[in-house]
């Protein structure tokens, strides 16, 4: 074989090696992480947010986590990645996960009527009663007007004092047919779980999720929050300044809806499980079940900041499913007095983000949408570069899409 031909073949082989490396090098880079951290701290400082924390998950690792500010205005105690926050409605993702595990063990069925376990529950028109299934509770598809009787939660009325009020209401549509976000009805999964397992909700969460996922500071309830030494206090804004508040107990009484406490690190481990890296806790069947779209949520398409990016939205079982441009994003946010939280991940990109604030500020949405729009854009550019590189390979290995 002529020497020139041999040299050409060697060159083509080397091009192939380097191009294959480029195809495989679609990664979240240190520069991207540093850019987000800088943006995170800059925006929070501009808004004078008391304290916050975030974690970024990639595949089976927390690749970046940090705190910002202080746990309480006027103190010097810093927020770090292990500082415990109330995560509010992000608790619903845990309810969905736990319920999926217990349903797969045969403790109850998703299509069981709620009245099988709560015979005292009734709508105004009793013919609706048996149409309300367990699945509808966690899918936010009960058909009941949104946030029904949240005012009674905030008035510190106990669950057993609120339940009879549903006899005054009828669903706006048949259960399973339309979306209506709930806290009271969502939390009916707790007595169903407790009846069918003969264990309390908090213990089941600890045994099935917190302990096996090694979430070091996750817990349920007010007492557990107050027992966390490294905890953030809630803040509300008045007259242009942030003021600490006493932790409000009301929503803690509805643990599936808003009862979980966790740090950014805890939630990072939770996201790793959502990405499929803890199949002994949440297997593929569980993950598919809790993220399958149940009901469309048109209202989400009008959310400030998010509406610039999402083109479709659904509720699954304790999770929202957004179409974020070309990408699917699994998401949930949370808000109780003095706290904001957002949790999201892309299964396709194996990427997740946690953001926690000890302040009632919509800056959390700005930070989340900035992260996802920036990261998706960068990863899509890497896709294009990888596709181009594969087209430069020798004909025998080049992609058929070239």
């Amino acid at each position: 074989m002529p020497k020139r031909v041999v040299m050409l073949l060697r060159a083509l082989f080397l091009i192939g090696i380097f191009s294959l490396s480029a195809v495989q090098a679609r990664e979240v880079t240190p520069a991207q992480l540093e850019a987000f951290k800088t943006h995170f701290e800059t925006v929070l400082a501009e808004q004078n947010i008391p304290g916050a924390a975030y974690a970024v998950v990639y595949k089976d690792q927390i690749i970046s986590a940090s705190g910002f500010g202080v746990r309480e205005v006027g103190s010097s105690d810093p927020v770090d990645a292990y500082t415990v926050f109330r995560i509010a409605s992000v608790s619903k993702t845990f309810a969905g996960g736990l319920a999926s595990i217990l349903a797969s063990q045969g403790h109850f069925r998703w299509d069981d009527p709620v009245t099988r376990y709560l015979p005292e529950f009734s709508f105004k028109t009793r013919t609706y009663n048996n149409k309300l299934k367990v699945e509808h509770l966690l899918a936010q598809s009960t058909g009941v007007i949104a946030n029904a009787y949240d005012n009674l939660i905030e008035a510190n009325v106990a669950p057993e004092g609120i339940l009879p009020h549903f006899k005054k209401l009828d669903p706006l549509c048949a259960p399973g047919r339309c979306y209506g976000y709930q806290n009271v009805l969502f939390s009916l999964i707790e007595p169903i779980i407790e009846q069918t397992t003969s264990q309390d909700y908090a213990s089941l969460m600890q045994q099935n999720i917190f302990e096996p996922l090694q979430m070091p500071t996750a817990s349920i309830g007010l007492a557990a929050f107050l027992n966390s030494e490294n905890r953030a206090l809630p803040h509300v804004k008045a007259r242009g300044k942030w003021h600490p508040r006493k932790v409000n107990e009301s929503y803690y009484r509805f643990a599936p809806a808003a009862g979980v406490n966790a740090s950014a690190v805890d939630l990072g481990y939770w996201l790793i499980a959502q990405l499929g890296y803890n199949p002994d806790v949440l297997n593929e069947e569980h993950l598919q079940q809790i993220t399958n779209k149940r009901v469309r949520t048109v209202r989400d398409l009008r959310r400030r900041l998010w509406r610039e990016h999402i083109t479709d939205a659904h509720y699954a079982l304790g999770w929202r499913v957004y179409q974020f441009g070309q990408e699917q994003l699994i998401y949930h946010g949370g808000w109780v007095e003095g706290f904001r939280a957002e949790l999201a991940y892309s299964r396709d990109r194996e990427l997740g983000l946690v953001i926690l604030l000890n302040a009632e500020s919509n800056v959390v949405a700005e930070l989340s949408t900035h992260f996802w729009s920036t990261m998706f854009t960068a990863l899509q550019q890497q896709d294009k570069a990888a596709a181009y590189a594969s087209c430069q390979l020798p004909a025998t290995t080049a992609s058929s899409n070239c």
Side-chain angles (χ1 to χ4, degrees), residues 279-293:
D280 53 330
V281 178
L282 289 173
N283 60 36
E284 193 60 33
E285 182 181 351
H286 298 140
L287 295 174
Q288 287 293 327
Q289 190 171 67
I290 61 180
T291 58
N292 282 343
K293 300 171 184 176

Side-chain angles (χ1 to χ4, degrees), residues 140-357:
Q140 302 288 18
S141 61
T142 63
V144 174
I145 188 171
N147 300 97
Y149 299 118
D150 279 5
N151 60 319
L152 297 181
I153 297 179
E154 291 163 10
N156 286 316
V157 178
E160 58 270 21
I162 297 178
L163 207 58
H165 287 271
F166 284 92
K167 294 178 181 178
K168 305 172 186 176
L169 294 180
D170 274 338
L172 300 175
C173 67
R177 297 291 300 276
C178 64
Y179 170 73
Y181 190 79
Q182 305 294 322
N183 287 301
V184 177
L185 290 179
F186 186 99
S187 294
L188 293 183
I189 194 64
E190 181 174 3
I192 293 171
I193 283 174
E194 292 185 341
Q195 281 188 38
T196 56
T197 63
S198 299
Q199 290 184 264
D200 68 273
Y201 184 80
S203 297
L204 287 163
M205 189 69 73
Q206 192 72 32
Q207 295 164 14
N208 288 277
I209 291 179
F210 295 163
E211 289 178 1
L213 293 182
Q214 299 181 0
M215 299 170 65
T217 52
S219 65
I220 289 181
L222 177 59
F225 179 79
L226 296 177
N227 285 333
S228 302
E229 184 176 344
N230 181 4
R231 66 181 184 275
L233 292 184
H235 295 80
V236 296
K237 203 167 194 177
R239 297 180 181 179
K241 294 183 178 180
W242 292 104
H243 301 272
R245 286 286 184 268
K246 183 179 179 181
V247 178
N248 192 316
E249 185 180 7
S250 59
Y251 277 94
Y252 272 126
R253 293 192 176 109
F254 299 81
V260 175
N261 314 301
S263 68
V265 168
D266 291 323
L267 293 177
Y269 291 136
W270 181 230
L271 285 180
I272 289 170
Q274 305 308 309
L275 292 172
Y277 286 99
N278 294 99
D280 53 330
V281 178
L282 289 173
N283 60 36
E284 193 60 33
E285 182 181 351
H286 298 140
L287 295 174
Q288 287 293 327
Q289 190 171 67
I290 61 180
T291 58
N292 282 343
K293 300 171 184 176
R294 297 311 204 280
V295 61
R296 196 158 183 255
T297 59
V298 177
R299 183 179 178 181
D300 282 5
L301 304 180
R302 300 191 292 272
R303 287 186 62 193
R304 193 169 74 86
L305 299 177
W306 286 96
R307 65 190 175 207
E308 301 169 22
H309 305 282
I310 60 175
T311 57
D312 203 6
H314 291 78
Y315 209 90
L317 294 179
W319 286 99
R320 298 184 185 277
V321 183
Y322 285 168
Q323 188 62 35
F324 194 105
Q326 302 173 33
E327 312 279 349
Q328 186 180 87
L329 192 66
I330 312 299
Y331 164 91
H332 215 290
W335 186 345
V336 290
E337 185 179 26
F339 292 98
R340 292 292 301 271
E342 288 198 351
L343 186 69
Y345 69 94
S346 164
R347 188 77 189 271
D348 290 340
R349 299 295 184 176
E350 297 192 274
L351 180 65
L353 175 69
V354 179
I355 297 180
L356 302 171
L357 305 182

